[in-house]
Amino acid sequence: MLKSLRAIEEYRETGQLYGGGVPWLEYIVEAEETIVNLERVDSLHELEYINPVLDYVERSLRLLDSLALSYWIKELAEETLVWSETAKGGTLRQRRLWQAEGINIFVHNIGSAQLYLRHAGVAGAEAYGLQTVRMMEAGGTEAAKQEIVHRLIETHGLIGQQIRGEVPPSVNRPLASMVEEGLLTADELERLLFALNHCIISAVSPELWQKVRTEVMVLIAVISSGDLLHAEVPMKERLRRMRAGAIAAGEDFDTEWNSLVQEGFNPDVLEPMQPITFWYVESALQTFSLEQFLKVMALTACGSKLSGLNHISYEAVMNSIYYDYKGAKKINVYKKRIIEKYLSGLAWEDILTGSASPGNPHLIHRLRREEHLPDTLFFHFEFSPAAEKLIEFCTEAEKSALYERAVLMLFDLFELRRDAFDRFHNEDTYLSQMNETADYKAVILEYVTGRKVLDIGPGGGVLLDLIEERMPGVIPVGIDISSNVVEALRQKKQREGRRWEVLQGDALNLKDFVEPGTVDTVIFSSILHELYSYVPLNGVKFNHETVSAALRSAFEVLTEGGAIIIRDGIMTEPESQQRRIRFLETDGMAALERYVKDFAGRKIRFEVLGTDEVQLPVNDAMEFLYTYTWGEEAYIHEVQEQFGYLTPSAYAEFIRKALGEQAVIEVLRHYLQAGYTEALQGRVQFMDENGQETALPDSTCFIVIRKTGGEIL
C-alpha cells in the first residue's frame, strides 16, 4: 500500500495527525472553506459533513495503488497527487497568510505547486522560475525529482481541461520541456502522464475516463513529442468544447452560432481570449442557452483589458447558481431566470462597445481583479441585498402557501412575466409528467386535419413526436410561452433528429407568429385551463374571456375547413349535485382546509359531517380531488389551477358565442380520465348525498370544432 494511503487511513481511524510528516494531509484536513467543482456534486448539504477534497485525493491514490507501474513512476505520481489539491486546504487564517505571501489560492494547480516548492525547501519569488540546470547543480537527483513533481503539479488536470476547451495547448509546454531538458525520456513522460490522468479523471468518474481515454492518449503523445503545443485553437472551437454538455443535450451549436452572428454577435471580440485559461466555466454556465453563454463571454472580453491575463474565473457564478432542493443539488432557477432576463436586455452592440448598462438596479455583472493576482480576472453576477433576501424567501417558501406570493414579488422586482408556465425548480419533472400522457393524447391524432398542425403548450413534446411518427405527411409546430420549455424542446429536436418545429409565442396572439389562414389544425391539449387560471385578461385571472381570446386567436390562423381540437377539464352538470368525501388518511381533512384557504379560482364551500367526512358541491369536490390526487410535490402548482371551468352544455354555448356561426362543433364528449379512481383508492370514499358510494364524475372533455364559411362574430 502507498505510504500516503496509510497516512489517510490512520487519520480516518483516529482523527489525529501524528508526527507532522505529512504536511499535504494537514493542509487538506484543516480546510475550513469548501472549494470543489459543483458540477459533479449531488448534494450541497452533504458538503457540510464530508471533506470532498480528501475523498477525491484518496480515490486517486487508490487507483494509483492498483496500477502496475515501476517504482520510479509510481513514486513521482504519488508525490504529485498528494500535493495537487493542497491549495484548496488550510484554515481560513492560513489561506489569508498564503495569499499575502503570493500563494495563488484561486488557481489551485499553481498554488499547490507553490506550496510544494515551499515544502521542498525552495522558497522566494525567484524559485518559481528556477531553471532545471541550477536545480541539478544545487541538489542533483533529488532536485531534478522536485522539479519534475513541481511541473506535474503545476499542470495538474490541464489535459482534461484542454479536452473541455478551458485551456489552450500551450499550457502543457512545461511538460514537453522535461524531455527536451533531459529530466525524463519521452516514453517515461508518456507512462507518467497516462498514469496520472487515469487517476485524476477516474477519481472524478470512471465513466468519464472511459469516454475520454482515447483523446487523453492522443494529447499525451502530442505533449511527449512537443508537437503542436504552440498551435492556437480558434476560440470558436474552444467554446464548442465548453458547450459539450449542452451539445450532448441537443444544442445545435453551429446553427445557433450563425444565427447570433446575423443578430449582431461579433466572434472576433473573443479571439484575444485564446491564450487564457478558464476556470469553472462549464459548471457555472452549462444550463444557460448559447446566446446567454456568449453574452457572458463577450461581457468578459469587452469589459476588461485582456493583456497580461492568464486566467478568468467563473467560480463565483458557479457557487451562487446551485442550491439544495430536498437534499439534491439543483440549479437555483430563481437566480437563473433573473440572469436570463438581465442578459436578454443587453444588446450585442452595447456589449461589444463596452457600453452595456444594467437594466435592473437589483442585478449587475462585475469583473474584478485581486491586487496580488494581476493575471487573474473574476466574473460574477451581483444581486442587491434585497434581491438576495427575496430569492432566499422563495426557496424557503417552496412548500408553503406563501410560495405564490413570494414568486410574484420576485416577478415584480425583476419585471418577469407573471405567468406560471415556468415551474421553476421542477420544470424537468413537469415535462416528464407531460410525456407520460402519450396514450391519452394519441386519440387526438384521429381528428388532425391537413398538413400544418399547431400544438399549443407542447410541454415535453410528446404530441409533436406522435404526430411526426404516425402522420409523416404532417408538419407539426409547437408554440409555448416559456423560453425554458422552448429551449428544452429545441435541444430534444436536435438530440433526437426530429423534424417538427417549435416557436416561442403567445397563444392569445397566434397571428403574430403564424400567418392567418395557413394552419389546418390547432390543438389545445390540457392547456386552456392553464390559460384560464394563470393569464390575466384586463387584470383578471380565472377568466373565461382569456379562453375566448385563445379560441379566437386559433380560429384566425385556421384555413377554411380547419379544426380546433380541445382536450381539457370539464365540470359536471347539473352543478347543484352534492357529494360526500370520507377521508381514509389522517391528514385528509387538514388537506381540504388548506386547499380551501389557498385556492383562488372560486370560493369552495363545504359542510363538515364528522371528524373525517364532508359534503360539498360536486364540482368543488372534484376540483379539490384533482389537486389531492397529485400529492404534495405538485400542490403549489395544482392549487393555482382550476381544471374544470365549464359544463358540457355551457362549453357548447361558449364556443358558439366566441366563434359564431363559422364554427361547427363536430365532437363534444366527456369522460373520466383513467387513473383518478386508482390514485384515490384507499385515500377517500366518494359518496352521493345519501352516503352511498358512487363513481367519480367525468373529468375531461374532448371537443372538435370545424371552421366553415361565414364571418366571425
PDB file of all heavy atoms in Angstrom, residues 1 29 98 111 147 157 173 178 183 188 203 218 270 288 295 344 347 410 427 458 483 508 529 545 602 674 679 709:
ATOM      1  N   MET A   1       0.841  -1.201   0.000  1.00  0.00           N
ATOM      2  CA  MET A   1       0.000   0.000   0.000  1.00  0.00           C
ATOM      3  C   MET A   1       0.876   1.250   0.000  1.00  0.00           C
ATOM      4  O   MET A   1       1.926   1.294   0.649  1.00  0.00           O
ATOM      5  CB  MET A   1      -0.915   0.013   1.237  1.00  0.00           C
ATOM      6  CG  MET A   1      -1.796   1.252   1.331  1.00  0.00           C
ATOM      7  SD  MET A   1      -2.772   1.330   2.857  1.00  0.00           S
ATOM      8  CE  MET A   1      -3.936   0.020   2.546  1.00  0.00           C
ATOM      9  N   VAL A  29      -6.924  18.353   5.472  1.00  0.00           N
ATOM     10  CA  VAL A  29      -7.907  18.063   6.527  1.00  0.00           C
ATOM     11  C   VAL A  29      -8.248  19.305   7.344  1.00  0.00           C
ATOM     12  O   VAL A  29      -9.283  19.340   8.018  1.00  0.00           O
ATOM     13  CB  VAL A  29      -7.424  16.937   7.458  1.00  0.00           C
ATOM     14  CG1 VAL A  29      -7.168  15.674   6.665  1.00  0.00           C
ATOM     15  CG2 VAL A  29      -6.193  17.349   8.254  1.00  0.00           C
ATOM     16  N   TRP A  98      -1.269  32.720   3.173  1.00  0.00           N
ATOM     17  CA  TRP A  98      -0.762  32.255   1.878  1.00  0.00           C
ATOM     18  C   TRP A  98      -0.964  33.328   0.813  1.00  0.00           C
ATOM     19  O   TRP A  98      -0.062  33.617   0.021  1.00  0.00           O
ATOM     20  CB  TRP A  98      -1.491  30.985   1.449  1.00  0.00           C
ATOM     21  CG  TRP A  98      -1.107  29.748   2.195  1.00  0.00           C
ATOM     22  CD1 TRP A  98      -0.038  29.582   3.027  1.00  0.00           C
ATOM     23  CD2 TRP A  98      -1.800  28.501   2.187  1.00  0.00           C
ATOM     24  NE1 TRP A  98      -0.011  28.307   3.527  1.00  0.00           N
ATOM     25  CE2 TRP A  98      -1.073  27.622   3.028  1.00  0.00           C
ATOM     26  CE3 TRP A  98      -2.939  28.030   1.552  1.00  0.00           C
ATOM     27  CZ2 TRP A  98      -1.480  26.307   3.236  1.00  0.00           C
ATOM     28  CZ3 TRP A  98      -3.341  26.721   1.755  1.00  0.00           C
ATOM     29  CH2 TRP A  98      -2.623  25.871   2.597  1.00  0.00           C
ATOM     30  N   GLY A 111      -1.154  27.316  -7.168  1.00  0.00           N
ATOM     31  CA  GLY A 111      -0.970  27.476  -5.733  1.00  0.00           C
ATOM     32  C   GLY A 111      -0.415  26.224  -5.081  1.00  0.00           C
ATOM     33  O   GLY A 111       0.461  26.296  -4.203  1.00  0.00           O
ATOM     34  N   GLU A 147      11.813  19.107  -9.323  1.00  0.00           N
ATOM     35  CA  GLU A 147      11.394  19.900 -10.484  1.00  0.00           C
ATOM     36  C   GLU A 147      10.344  19.155 -11.300  1.00  0.00           C
ATOM     37  O   GLU A 147       9.372  19.756 -11.788  1.00  0.00           O
ATOM     38  CB  GLU A 147      12.608  20.234 -11.343  1.00  0.00           C
ATOM     39  CG  GLU A 147      12.275  20.990 -12.645  1.00  0.00           C
ATOM     40  CD  GLU A 147      11.677  22.363 -12.404  1.00  0.00           C
ATOM     41  OE1 GLU A 147      11.628  22.817 -11.238  1.00  0.00           O
ATOM     42  OE2 GLU A 147      11.244  22.989 -13.379  1.00  0.00           O
ATOM     43  N   GLY A 157      -4.289  18.257 -14.121  1.00  0.00           N
ATOM     44  CA  GLY A 157      -5.641  18.332 -14.662  1.00  0.00           C
ATOM     45  C   GLY A 157      -5.783  19.098 -15.959  1.00  0.00           C
ATOM     46  O   GLY A 157      -6.888  19.178 -16.515  1.00  0.00           O
ATOM     47  N   ARG A 173       3.146  23.078 -22.250  1.00  0.00           N
ATOM     48  CA  ARG A 173       4.523  23.198 -22.718  1.00  0.00           C
ATOM     49  C   ARG A 173       5.544  22.819 -21.634  1.00  0.00           C
ATOM     50  O   ARG A 173       6.566  22.183 -21.941  1.00  0.00           O
ATOM     51  CB  ARG A 173       4.781  24.617 -23.219  1.00  0.00           C
ATOM     52  CG  ARG A 173       6.146  24.826 -23.858  1.00  0.00           C
ATOM     53  CD  ARG A 173       6.273  24.067 -25.148  1.00  0.00           C
ATOM     54  NE  ARG A 173       7.667  23.929 -25.563  1.00  0.00           N
ATOM     55  CZ  ARG A 173       8.095  23.146 -26.530  1.00  0.00           C
ATOM     56  NH1 ARG A 173       7.215  22.404 -27.196  1.00  0.00           N
ATOM     57  NH2 ARG A 173       9.360  23.058 -26.846  1.00  0.00           N
ATOM     58  N   MET A 178      10.341  18.914 -20.259  1.00  0.00           N
ATOM     59  CA  MET A 178      11.091  17.966 -19.433  1.00  0.00           C
ATOM     60  C   MET A 178      11.832  16.948 -20.284  1.00  0.00           C
ATOM     61  O   MET A 178      12.892  16.456 -19.885  1.00  0.00           O
ATOM     62  CB  MET A 178      10.147  17.262 -18.444  1.00  0.00           C
ATOM     63  CG  MET A 178       9.655  18.189 -17.341  1.00  0.00           C
ATOM     64  SD  MET A 178       8.922  17.323 -15.933  1.00  0.00           S
ATOM     65  CE  MET A 178       7.373  16.768 -16.634  1.00  0.00           C
ATOM     66  N   LEU A 183      15.136  15.666 -18.256  1.00  0.00           N
ATOM     67  CA  LEU A 183      14.618  15.208 -16.972  1.00  0.00           C
ATOM     68  C   LEU A 183      13.932  13.854 -17.106  1.00  0.00           C
ATOM     69  O   LEU A 183      13.989  13.019 -16.194  1.00  0.00           O
ATOM     70  CB  LEU A 183      13.623  16.230 -16.409  1.00  0.00           C
ATOM     71  CG  LEU A 183      14.231  17.515 -15.837  1.00  0.00           C
ATOM     72  CD1 LEU A 183      13.145  18.536 -15.576  1.00  0.00           C
ATOM     73  CD2 LEU A 183      14.989  17.211 -14.548  1.00  0.00           C
ATOM     74  N   GLU A 188       9.056   7.730 -20.699  1.00  0.00           N
ATOM     75  CA  GLU A 188       8.761   7.903 -19.275  1.00  0.00           C
ATOM     76  C   GLU A 188       7.654   8.946 -19.073  1.00  0.00           C
ATOM     77  O   GLU A 188       6.753   8.759 -18.251  1.00  0.00           O
ATOM     78  CB  GLU A 188      10.024   8.334 -18.525  1.00  0.00           C
ATOM     79  CG  GLU A 188      11.045   7.224 -18.338  1.00  0.00           C
ATOM     80  CD  GLU A 188      12.341   7.739 -17.738  1.00  0.00           C
ATOM     81  OE1 GLU A 188      12.683   8.919 -17.970  1.00  0.00           O
ATOM     82  OE2 GLU A 188      13.014   6.957 -17.041  1.00  0.00           O
ATOM     83  N   ALA A 203     -10.940   9.273 -10.774  1.00  0.00           N
ATOM     84  CA  ALA A 203     -11.360   9.648  -9.425  1.00  0.00           C
ATOM     85  C   ALA A 203     -12.564  10.577  -9.465  1.00  0.00           C
ATOM     86  O   ALA A 203     -13.342  10.647  -8.507  1.00  0.00           O
ATOM     87  CB  ALA A 203     -10.207  10.308  -8.670  1.00  0.00           C
ATOM     88  N   VAL A 218      -4.041  10.551 -27.086  1.00  0.00           N
ATOM     89  CA  VAL A 218      -3.587  11.342 -28.240  1.00  0.00           C
ATOM     90  C   VAL A 218      -2.866  12.603 -27.763  1.00  0.00           C
ATOM     91  O   VAL A 218      -1.784  12.957 -28.261  1.00  0.00           O
ATOM     92  CB  VAL A 218      -4.772  11.693 -29.150  1.00  0.00           C
ATOM     93  CG1 VAL A 218      -4.352  12.710 -30.213  1.00  0.00           C
ATOM     94  CG2 VAL A 218      -5.325  10.441 -29.812  1.00  0.00           C
ATOM     95  N   LEU A 270     -13.835  37.829 -29.220  1.00  0.00           N
ATOM     96  CA  LEU A 270     -13.455  36.778 -28.275  1.00  0.00           C
ATOM     97  C   LEU A 270     -12.071  36.205 -28.553  1.00  0.00           C
ATOM     98  O   LEU A 270     -11.512  35.518 -27.696  1.00  0.00           O
ATOM     99  CB  LEU A 270     -14.486  35.641 -28.301  1.00  0.00           C
ATOM    100  CG  LEU A 270     -15.938  36.023 -28.005  1.00  0.00           C
ATOM    101  CD1 LEU A 270     -16.806  34.770 -27.967  1.00  0.00           C
ATOM    102  CD2 LEU A 270     -16.061  36.785 -26.693  1.00  0.00           C
ATOM    103  N   PHE A 288     -27.274  27.573 -19.264  1.00  0.00           N
ATOM    104  CA  PHE A 288     -27.726  28.748 -19.998  1.00  0.00           C
ATOM    105  C   PHE A 288     -27.689  28.456 -21.499  1.00  0.00           C
ATOM    106  O   PHE A 288     -26.935  27.601 -21.966  1.00  0.00           O
ATOM    107  CB  PHE A 288     -26.848  29.959 -19.671  1.00  0.00           C
ATOM    108  CG  PHE A 288     -27.038  30.489 -18.276  1.00  0.00           C
ATOM    109  CD1 PHE A 288     -26.252  30.039 -17.226  1.00  0.00           C
ATOM    110  CD2 PHE A 288     -28.016  31.438 -18.001  1.00  0.00           C
ATOM    111  CE1 PHE A 288     -26.426  30.509 -15.938  1.00  0.00           C
ATOM    112  CE2 PHE A 288     -28.202  31.920 -16.717  1.00  0.00           C
ATOM    113  CZ  PHE A 288     -27.407  31.454 -15.686  1.00  0.00           C
ATOM    114  N   LYS A 295     -22.984  35.877 -24.488  1.00  0.00           N
ATOM    115  CA  LYS A 295     -23.074  37.234 -23.945  1.00  0.00           C
ATOM    116  C   LYS A 295     -22.190  37.368 -22.703  1.00  0.00           C
ATOM    117  O   LYS A 295     -21.536  38.398 -22.502  1.00  0.00           O
ATOM    118  CB  LYS A 295     -24.523  37.591 -23.626  1.00  0.00           C
ATOM    119  CG  LYS A 295     -25.331  37.998 -24.866  1.00  0.00           C
ATOM    120  CD  LYS A 295     -26.708  38.522 -24.516  1.00  0.00           C
ATOM    121  CE  LYS A 295     -27.402  39.059 -25.770  1.00  0.00           C
ATOM    122  NZ  LYS A 295     -28.757  39.586 -25.467  1.00  0.00           N
ATOM    123  N   SER A 344     -30.855  39.073 -21.588  1.00  0.00           N
ATOM    124  CA  SER A 344     -31.705  39.331 -22.753  1.00  0.00           C
ATOM    125  C   SER A 344     -31.879  40.831 -22.992  1.00  0.00           C
ATOM    126  O   SER A 344     -32.142  41.265 -24.116  1.00  0.00           O
ATOM    127  CB  SER A 344     -33.079  38.667 -22.582  1.00  0.00           C
ATOM    128  OG  SER A 344     -33.827  39.307 -21.557  1.00  0.00           O
ATOM    129  N   ALA A 347     -28.087  44.500 -25.449  1.00  0.00           N
ATOM    130  CA  ALA A 347     -27.943  44.425 -26.905  1.00  0.00           C
ATOM    131  C   ALA A 347     -26.494  44.088 -27.265  1.00  0.00           C
ATOM    132  O   ALA A 347     -25.557  44.518 -26.576  1.00  0.00           O
ATOM    133  CB  ALA A 347     -28.342  45.752 -27.546  1.00  0.00           C
ATOM    134  N   LEU A 410     -41.032  38.352  -6.698  1.00  0.00           N
ATOM    135  CA  LEU A 410     -39.816  38.212  -7.495  1.00  0.00           C
ATOM    136  C   LEU A 410     -40.077  38.679  -8.930  1.00  0.00           C
ATOM    137  O   LEU A 410     -39.261  39.383  -9.536  1.00  0.00           O
ATOM    138  CB  LEU A 410     -39.363  36.754  -7.485  1.00  0.00           C
ATOM    139  CG  LEU A 410     -37.922  36.458  -7.902  1.00  0.00           C
ATOM    140  CD1 LEU A 410     -36.956  36.981  -6.860  1.00  0.00           C
ATOM    141  CD2 LEU A 410     -37.727  34.966  -8.092  1.00  0.00           C
ATOM    142  N   GLU A 427     -39.352  22.088 -13.293  1.00  0.00           N
ATOM    143  CA  GLU A 427     -39.716  22.115 -14.706  1.00  0.00           C
ATOM    144  C   GLU A 427     -39.426  20.777 -15.373  1.00  0.00           C
ATOM    145  O   GLU A 427     -40.215  20.290 -16.176  1.00  0.00           O
ATOM    146  CB  GLU A 427     -38.941  23.230 -15.429  1.00  0.00           C
ATOM    147  CG  GLU A 427     -39.305  23.411 -16.900  1.00  0.00           C
ATOM    148  CD  GLU A 427     -40.670  24.018 -17.082  1.00  0.00           C
ATOM    149  OE1 GLU A 427     -41.024  24.966 -16.372  1.00  0.00           O
ATOM    150  OE2 GLU A 427     -41.402  23.528 -17.957  1.00  0.00           O
ATOM    151  N   PRO A 458     -46.841  22.663 -25.879  1.00  0.00           N
ATOM    152  CA  PRO A 458     -46.474  21.267 -26.159  1.00  0.00           C
ATOM    153  C   PRO A 458     -45.779  20.552 -25.012  1.00  0.00           C
ATOM    154  O   PRO A 458     -45.523  19.349 -25.108  1.00  0.00           O
ATOM    155  CB  PRO A 458     -45.540  21.393 -27.366  1.00  0.00           C
ATOM    156  CG  PRO A 458     -44.945  22.762 -27.238  1.00  0.00           C
ATOM    157  CD  PRO A 458     -46.021  23.622 -26.645  1.00  0.00           C
ATOM    158  N   SER A 483     -39.761  30.321 -22.355  1.00  0.00           N
ATOM    159  CA  SER A 483     -38.481  30.223 -23.054  1.00  0.00           C
ATOM    160  C   SER A 483     -37.740  28.947 -22.676  1.00  0.00           C
ATOM    161  O   SER A 483     -37.035  28.359 -23.491  1.00  0.00           O
ATOM    162  CB  SER A 483     -37.613  31.448 -22.754  1.00  0.00           C
ATOM    163  OG  SER A 483     -37.347  31.529 -21.364  1.00  0.00           O
ATOM    164  N   LEU A 508     -52.576  33.786 -27.171  1.00  0.00           N
ATOM    165  CA  LEU A 508     -53.629  34.778 -27.392  1.00  0.00           C
ATOM    166  C   LEU A 508     -53.360  35.649 -28.608  1.00  0.00           C
ATOM    167  O   LEU A 508     -54.234  36.433 -29.002  1.00  0.00           O
ATOM    168  CB  LEU A 508     -53.780  35.672 -26.151  1.00  0.00           C
ATOM    169  CG  LEU A 508     -54.026  34.976 -24.804  1.00  0.00           C
ATOM    170  CD1 LEU A 508     -54.405  35.989 -23.743  1.00  0.00           C
ATOM    171  CD2 LEU A 508     -55.096  33.912 -24.916  1.00  0.00           C
ATOM    172  N   HIS A 529     -57.158  25.303 -19.613  1.00  0.00           N
ATOM    173  CA  HIS A 529     -57.418  25.565 -18.189  1.00  0.00           C
ATOM    174  C   HIS A 529     -56.245  26.311 -17.551  1.00  0.00           C
ATOM    175  O   HIS A 529     -56.442  27.051 -16.574  1.00  0.00           O
ATOM    176  CB  HIS A 529     -57.724  24.261 -17.435  1.00  0.00           C
ATOM    177  CG  HIS A 529     -56.535  23.435 -17.110  1.00  0.00           C
ATOM    178  ND1 HIS A 529     -55.988  22.532 -17.999  1.00  0.00           N
ATOM    179  CD2 HIS A 529     -55.752  23.368 -15.989  1.00  0.00           C
ATOM    180  CE1 HIS A 529     -54.946  21.946 -17.436  1.00  0.00           C
ATOM    181  NE2 HIS A 529     -54.774  22.427 -16.223  1.00  0.00           N
ATOM    182  N   GLU A 545     -62.905  34.969 -20.467  1.00  0.00           N
ATOM    183  CA  GLU A 545     -62.543  35.784 -21.630  1.00  0.00           C
ATOM    184  C   GLU A 545     -61.152  35.430 -22.144  1.00  0.00           C
ATOM    185  O   GLU A 545     -60.860  35.588 -23.326  1.00  0.00           O
ATOM    186  CB  GLU A 545     -62.619  37.275 -21.267  1.00  0.00           C
ATOM    187  CG  GLU A 545     -64.039  37.802 -21.109  1.00  0.00           C
ATOM    188  CD  GLU A 545     -64.869  37.565 -22.362  1.00  0.00           C
ATOM    189  OE1 GLU A 545     -64.390  37.903 -23.478  1.00  0.00           O
ATOM    190  OE2 GLU A 545     -65.991  37.037 -22.241  1.00  0.00           O
ATOM    191  N   ARG A 602     -62.158  30.050  -7.084  1.00  0.00           N
ATOM    192  CA  ARG A 602     -63.502  30.424  -6.651  1.00  0.00           C
ATOM    193  C   ARG A 602     -63.627  30.029  -5.183  1.00  0.00           C
ATOM    194  O   ARG A 602     -62.769  29.345  -4.639  1.00  0.00           O
ATOM    195  CB  ARG A 602     -64.573  29.727  -7.495  1.00  0.00           C
ATOM    196  CG  ARG A 602     -64.566  28.202  -7.410  1.00  0.00           C
ATOM    197  CD  ARG A 602     -65.770  27.601  -8.133  1.00  0.00           C
ATOM    198  NE  ARG A 602     -65.815  26.149  -7.983  1.00  0.00           N
ATOM    199  CZ  ARG A 602     -65.276  25.285  -8.831  1.00  0.00           C
ATOM    200  NH1 ARG A 602     -64.648  25.740  -9.901  1.00  0.00           N
ATOM    201  NH2 ARG A 602     -65.369  23.989  -8.620  1.00  0.00           N
ATOM    202  N   ALA A 674     -58.599   8.116 -16.996  1.00  0.00           N
ATOM    203  CA  ALA A 674     -58.087   6.942 -16.284  1.00  0.00           C
ATOM    204  C   ALA A 674     -57.027   7.351 -15.270  1.00  0.00           C
ATOM    205  O   ALA A 674     -56.214   8.243 -15.523  1.00  0.00           O
ATOM    206  CB  ALA A 674     -57.508   5.947 -17.286  1.00  0.00           C
ATOM    207  N   ALA A 679     -55.849   6.230  -8.181  1.00  0.00           N
ATOM    208  CA  ALA A 679     -54.992   7.073  -7.346  1.00  0.00           C
ATOM    209  C   ALA A 679     -55.644   7.423  -6.012  1.00  0.00           C
ATOM    210  O   ALA A 679     -54.955   7.608  -5.005  1.00  0.00           O
ATOM    211  CB  ALA A 679     -54.619   8.349  -8.091  1.00  0.00           C
ATOM    212  N   GLY A 709     -67.390  28.349 -43.847  1.00  0.00           N
ATOM    213  CA  GLY A 709     -67.515  29.693 -44.415  1.00  0.00           C
ATOM    214  C   GLY A 709     -68.313  30.595 -43.502  1.00  0.00           C
ATOM    215  O   GLY A 709     -68.982  30.158 -42.566  1.00  0.00           O
TER     216      GLY A 709
END
